[in-house]
């Protein structure tokens, strides 16, 4: 959705290199998520955060790290420990109360290992 | 453990041929069931949120329904522009805001 900005759109990583994907939101949502999507596959949860300075591992957290120092920002670092990082990465947010439970997605970032 | 299974994996329809997509789920207390449309190389686009069994929501040619074990996305008289992958997801009251997605159904509508 327009309130979630992911950057860069395309990123190339060399073997043994750490890279960071940015996710910024102006929706004032508490919860933020990172998902990984492989070609022809569904979304798999990497990490999620319900509030600032708190986050939980999803189903495929190994080789990834996150931080949540600000409500607006939830960057994802793909470390050299992630052996097969080539994928499409999606950031999402979710509000509470009057905004309902709708989860909104950014436009995604493509990461390729070269 | 929360789980979502979508069927069929792929569905090919002629323009105007109505059909349904299925989403079977298991969750410890349903907080919400979500349907999304995803075009290639794009982020998922929100369609519906359903909260309780018996609930129905409609948007243009799409109608989503919910029971205690599954949800259906009915597509009436589809057009080629409805071709996309449709994703279903569930969020339970246990596990905080953790949301689990199914693998999706790829819909192809031929003119």
């Amino acid at each position: 959705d327009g309130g979630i900005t992911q950057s860069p759109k395309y990123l190339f990583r060399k073997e043994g290199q750490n890279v960071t994907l940015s996710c910024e939101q102006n929706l004032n949502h508490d919860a933020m998520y990172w998902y990984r999507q492989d070609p022809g596959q569904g979304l798999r949860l990497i990490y999620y955060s319900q509030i600032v300075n708190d986050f939980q591992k999803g189903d495929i957290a190994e080789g990834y790290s996150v931080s949540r120092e600000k409500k607006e920002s939830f960057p994802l670092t793909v470390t050299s420990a992630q052996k097969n990082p080539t994928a499409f990465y999606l950031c999402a947010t979710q509000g509470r109360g009057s905004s309902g439970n709708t989860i909104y997605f950014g436009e995604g970032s493509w990461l390729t290992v070269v | 453990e929360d789980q979502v299974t979508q069927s069929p994996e792929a569905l090919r329809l002629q323009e105007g041929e109505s059909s349904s997509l299925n989403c079977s789920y298991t969750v410890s207390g349903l907080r919400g069931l979500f349907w999304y449309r995803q075009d290639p190389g794009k982020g998922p686009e929100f369609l519906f949120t359903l909260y309780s069994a018996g609930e129905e929501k409609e948007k243009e040619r799409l109608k989503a329904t919910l029971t205690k074990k599954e949800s259906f996305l009915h597509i009436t008289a589809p057009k080629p522009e409805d071709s996309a992958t449709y994703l279903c997801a569930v969020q339970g009251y246990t596990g905080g805001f953790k949301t689990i997605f199914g693998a999706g159904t790829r819909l192809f509508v031929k003119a």
Side-chain angles (χ1 to χ4, degrees):
Chain A
D1 206 77
I4 303 169
T5 302
Q6 288 189 239
S7 62
K9 178 69 175 177
Y10 300 97
L11 184 61
F12 298 90
R13 192 194 92 167
K14 295 181 180 179
E15 295 285 348
Q17 192 178 49
N18 292 356
V19 295
T20 297
L21 306 179
S22 170
C23 178
E24 301 282 331
Q25 57 114 345
N26 62 4
L27 301 171
N28 198 35
H29 285 174
D30 290 306
M32 297 187 74
Y33 305 81
W34 275 106
Y35 288 91
R36 168 179 172 145
Q37 188 173 35
D38 293 282
Q41 304 294 314
L43 278 62
R44 292 186 291 167
L45 183 62
I46 305 173
Y47 270 97
Y48 63 108
S49 168
Q50 299 181 52
I51 57 173
V52 174
N53 292 322
D54 185 57
F55 49 83
Q56 287 79 40
K57 293 182 179 180
D59 299 318
I60 56 165
E62 185 175 352
Y64 300 97
S65 66
V66 294
S67 62
R68 187 84 187 276
E69 297 177 359
K70 298 185 301 181
K71 188 175 185 178
E72 301 79 17
S73 179
F74 191 41
L76 174 73
T77 297
V78 184
T79 74
S80 57
Q82 172 49 243
K83 298 306 179 187
N84 185 24
T86 296
F88 188 47
Y89 290 86
L90 287 159
C91 177
T93 72
Q94 185 177 29
R96 302 197 204 201
S98 59
S99 65
N101 292 337
T102 301
I103 298 172
Y104 295 101
F105 284 86
E107 284 301 303
S109 293
W110 290 93
L111 174 62
T112 303
V113 173
V114 296
Chain B
E1 183 177 321
D2 298 349
Q3 196 167 18
V4 178
T5 303
Q6 291 188 247
S7 62
E9 289 186 13
L11 181 61
R12 298 180 184 275
L13 300 174
Q14 289 291 128
E15 184 173 4
E17 180 186 1
S18 300
S19 188
S20 297
L21 282 56
N22 177 264
C23 172
S24 297
Y25 67 92
T26 55
V27 65
S28 300
L30 181 67
R31 188 168 183 264
L33 184 141
F34 310 92
W35 281 101
Y36 289 84
R37 170 196 170 122
Q38 187 178 26
D39 293 300
K42 301 281 190 179
E45 175 189 345
F46 171 73
L47 294 174
F48 305 108
T49 304
L50 302 169
Y51 297 100
S52 58
E55 188 175 2
E56 298 182 353
K57 290 190 176 176
E58 288 187 69
K59 179 181 179 181
E60 297 180 351
R61 295 178 293 282
L62 301 176
K63 179 180 178 179
T65 62
L66 181 65
T67 72
K68 289 186 178 180
K69 293 184 177 181
E70 58 191 353
S71 176
F72 291 94
L73 185 65
H74 306 277
I75 303 177
T76 303
K79 298 181 178 182
E81 54 262 43
D82 294 322
S83 297
T85 296
Y86 291 85
L87 299 170
C88 173
V90 295
Q91 187 177 82
Y93 279 103
T94 59
F97 278 59
K98 185 176 181 180
T99 306
I100 302 299
F101 279 78
T105 293
R106 286 175 290 164
L107 175 65
F108 304 92
V109 182
K110 186 176 180 181

